[in-house]
């Protein structure tokens, strides 16, 4: 772990206590309210040097550590996106800190566009795999041999089974699919959406994949859930915008919260 991460781990423990979180959570657009459901300590990113200046509306840049359904969790209310600064490793330090706090599992969330008619806005998708279509990688420049991270089973089978079971118990549809990472910040063209479908994608978005790669690099088990906010460009007559994403996310977010709470109770 970097000295910077060590330092932050000490600071965070001084404020939130020594107990290791059992699950880390990164909240995507429109999911920020979940941090408020946690009984614990909130630390603004501004107090954590090196944490991203989350500049995307719909995100709440603070780290919340505390209990949700009796399980100690660490919630990252904002993330760095590749499109903000052209840096795909903007979440490396926060995830190093999560690992340094003794956490072993990470659950990522995002807002995404659907490529499948049977997966409409307002629903969820569990990532079974992904395509790093943005053409970058957060481990570029990493000097150690550890950079050659196997990605064959990157999305953790046991976590996915637990999430599927929790969704079934809540009677919420949670189809699995492949998420394709576009850099953004412009949305895709209809031709790009058709290309993504041909490549085997079920949903598209602008985040998450760098964090999956970093999580595996750091030895964290990882799973990710998309909140479907729209159909991919050209697949519906609805206009695509960030405002629309933020307006639609709460629908799926409410379902995700029920699944998450059930999942945590089963841990
Ligand atoms: N494309 C990329 N990112 C997104 C979308 C989309 O259609 N919807 C929400 N985030």
């Amino acid at each position: 772990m970097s000295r910077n991460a060590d330092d932050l781990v000490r600071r965070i423990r001084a404020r939130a206590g020594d107990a290791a979180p059992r699950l880390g959570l990164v909240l995507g657009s429109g999911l920020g309210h979940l941090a408020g459901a946690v009984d614990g300590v909130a630390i603004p990113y501004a107090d954590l040097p090196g944490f991203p200046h989350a500049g995307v509306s719909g995100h709440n840049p603070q780290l919340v550590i505390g209990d949700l359904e009796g399980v100690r969790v660490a919630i990252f209310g904002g993330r760095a996106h590749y499109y903000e600064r052209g840096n795909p490793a903007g979440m490396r330090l926060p995830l190093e800190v999560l690992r340094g706090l003794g956490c072993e599992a990470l659950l990522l969330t995002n807002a995404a566009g659907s490529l499948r008619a049977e997966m409409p806005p307002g629903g969820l998708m569990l990532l079974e795999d992904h395509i790093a279509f943005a053409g970058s990688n957060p481990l570029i420049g990493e000097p150690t041999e550890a950079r050659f991270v196997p990605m064959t089973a990157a999305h953790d089978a046991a976590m996915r089974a637990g999430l599927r079971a929790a969704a079934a118990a809540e009677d919420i549809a949670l189809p699995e699919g492949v998420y394709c990472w576009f850099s953004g910040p412009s949305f895709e063209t209809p031709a790009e959406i058709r290309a993504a479908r041909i490549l085997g994608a079920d949903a598209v978005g602008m985040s998450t994949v760098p964090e999956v790669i970093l999580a595996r690099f750091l030895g964290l088990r990882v799973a990710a859930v998309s909140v479907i906010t729209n159909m991919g460009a050209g697949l519906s007559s609805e206009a695509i915008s960030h405002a629309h994403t933020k307006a639609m996310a709460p629908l799926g977010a409410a379902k995700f919260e029920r699944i998450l709470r059930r999942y945590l109770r089963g841990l």
Side-chain angles (χ1 to χ4, degrees):
M1 197 170 34
S2 66
R3 252 189 54 205
N4 199 2
D6 264 339
D7 222 51
L8 290 173
V9 166
R10 268 194 297 277
R11 280 192 208 201
I12 292 165
R13 284 192 170 141
R15 281 170 75 165
D18 285 343
R22 291 190 59 201
L23 185 70
L25 266 157
V26 176
L27 302 179
S29 299
L31 287 128
H33 74 282
L34 253 181
V38 173
D39 180 16
V41 173
I43 306 174
Y45 284 5
D47 292 353
L48 301 169
F51 267 50
H53 311 270
V56 184
S57 64
H59 289 249
N60 189 1
Q62 55 177 4
L63 171 63
V64 178
I65 298 186
D67 288 348
L68 189 60
E69 298 293 339
V71 177
R72 192 161 170 86
V73 295
I75 299 193
F76 296 88
R79 58 155 52 98
H81 299 85
Y82 179 43
Y83 61 71
E84 289 173 72
R85 288 160 192 269
N87 174 16
M91 286 302 284
R92 178 163 173 162
L93 180 65
L95 297 184
E96 280 181 355
V97 166
L98 182 68
R99 194 76 179 97
L101 290 169
C103 188
E104 296 182 349
L106 174 66
L107 181 54
L108 303 164
T109 63
N110 60 55
S114 171
L115 307 192
R116 289 200 340 222
E118 68 277 20
M119 224 168 54
L124 304 172
M125 184 186 91
L126 176 61
L127 276 65
E128 63 172 325
D129 204 346
H130 69 242
I131 299 170
F133 201 61
S136 191
N137 191 297
L139 297 177
I140 290 174
E142 164 61 33
T144 68
E145 289 277 299
R147 63 190 167 190
F148 299 113
V149 180
M151 296 295 290
T152 313
H155 296 260
D156 190 80
M159 289 178 74
R160 282 161 48 206
L163 289 163
R164 283 196 308 267
E170 291 290 332
D171 206 14
I172 296 170
L174 187 63
E176 285 195 291
V178 173
Y179 175 96
C180 186
W181 174 39
F182 281 83
S183 77
S186 56
F187 285 100
E188 300 74 30
T189 64
E192 285 165 346
I193 290 297
R194 288 194 298 274
R197 272 178 87 143
I198 291 166
L199 292 177
D202 301 297
V204 294
M206 305 179 194
S207 67
T208 303
V209 168
E211 293 138 58
V212 173
I213 295 169
L214 287 166
R216 295 310 301 141
F217 172 68
L218 296 168
L220 288 158
R221 296 193 291 125
V222 64
V225 174
S226 289
V227 169
I228 302 295
T229 54
N230 57 279
M231 296 306 293
L235 299 181
S236 121
S237 54
E238 222 167 24
I240 297 175
S241 69
H242 187 57
H244 183 258
T245 296
K246 285 188 296 181
M248 288 301 289
L251 279 179
K255 295 177 185 166
F256 173 73
E257 179 170 348
R258 282 169 53 203
I259 293 173
L260 175 67
R261 286 179 178 278
R262 175 77 72 148
Y263 176 74
L264 290 172
R265 288 200 294 274
L267 281 185

